[in-house]
Amino acid sequence: MKIAFFTEGDIAGKIPRDYNNMRTDMAWLCALDAVRIPIGQMHEVHEHFDLGIVIIPKNKESLYNYPLVEQMRRICTKTATMQESTYWYWQGGSVQSQLWYHSILQSMDIIYCHNDMDITYYKGITDVECRLLPTLMITDHIKSYDGERKGVMVGGNWVTAYRGFDSYIIGKILSDSITSPTTGRMKPDEVLLDINHLPWVNWLEWMYELSKCKYGVQLGTAAAGTFNLNCAYLGIPCIGYDNLNTQKYLHPDLSVPDGDVAQARQIAEKLRNDEEFYLYCSNKAKNNYKELYHEDKFNTTFQKQFKVS
């Protein structure tokens, strides 16, 4: 099966397994042996694909006048779009942007989604078949810290989607040593907090830094859930909201309903004080990862889905 992903950016071609910045979109490409094609170059492509998946960027204005759907149909037997960010993020744009995006969704054969709750949302606003495209890791070249794990990593900055404040409150219960990644939406005055902000690093370096931590907290809203998945692979117990598939299936004993910070506090206290519970959650996360999110499982499920479509 020949697959193409149409994305923003200039990188084109296939992604090798030793690529050092293997975030989840690159992992999909690598596992599916897919070709990456910049969206604006579709009209230059003459190769045919069984499936084309477009990831619409957050900033959509440059695509308004581009014949995206027509070009996809020209070179793809089946057309699909992949959810970008939270299911509601696109509604932060202008009215024109929202109507344009919805028309793209309606024009596809398939809408791929991150989570169970996302499927119910996109089914509600379109007449298009919706499927899961699970978050994925290519683990060949990951190196883990072999010393004693300490402190807590919180999975985002102080913005609405990440809800970094919520994670900070729970992180302080687990440890006085809090580390956070740096994202493009990080607020300038976050540097005044008692948080160690990692400088931007590629994905392999990120996994090594994460492996130094004993706990993870991600009280953010539903999107890809890569942080929760990364923690599970490393056996780091992660507290988070259960609207993320990678949280509720990989860390079921540490998952709470959206907004239930009170229950998250109780779990954090137990995780910090009960070593047996900590080890149970750590081992369960690693085992759940192998059973549910290993690359082999991803490939098998994807192939089965496509064959019955």
Side-chain angles (χ1 to χ4, degrees), residues 152-217:
V152 57
M153 182 74 77
V154 298
N157 301 125
W158 288 39
V159 296
T160 303
Y162 290 126
R163 298 194 195 174
F165 180 87
D166 297 1
S167 296
Y168 175 79
I169 293 295
I170 302 305
K172 291 293 286 184
I173 295 173
L174 293 165
S175 174
D176 286 329
S177 176
I178 297 179
T179 303
S180 171
T182 297
T183 71
R185 286 178 281 171
M186 177 178 167
K187 292 179 169 59
D189 52 354
E190 286 186 46
V191 298
L192 303 176
L193 299 166
D194 57 339
I195 296 175
N196 171 37
H197 289 97
L198 290 175
W200 187 93
V201 294
N202 66 45
W203 186 74
L204 286 177
E205 292 174 307
W206 155 253
M207 289 300 293
Y208 183 77
E209 293 299 324
L210 178 61
S211 72
K212 297 177 182 179
C213 296
K214 186 174 183 179
Y215 311 99
V217 181

Side-chain angles (χ1 to χ4, degrees), residues 246-257:
T246 53
Q247 177 65 34
K248 70 177 179 179
Y249 293 133
L250 298 177
H251 308 276
D253 302 279
L254 306 175
S255 301
V256 302

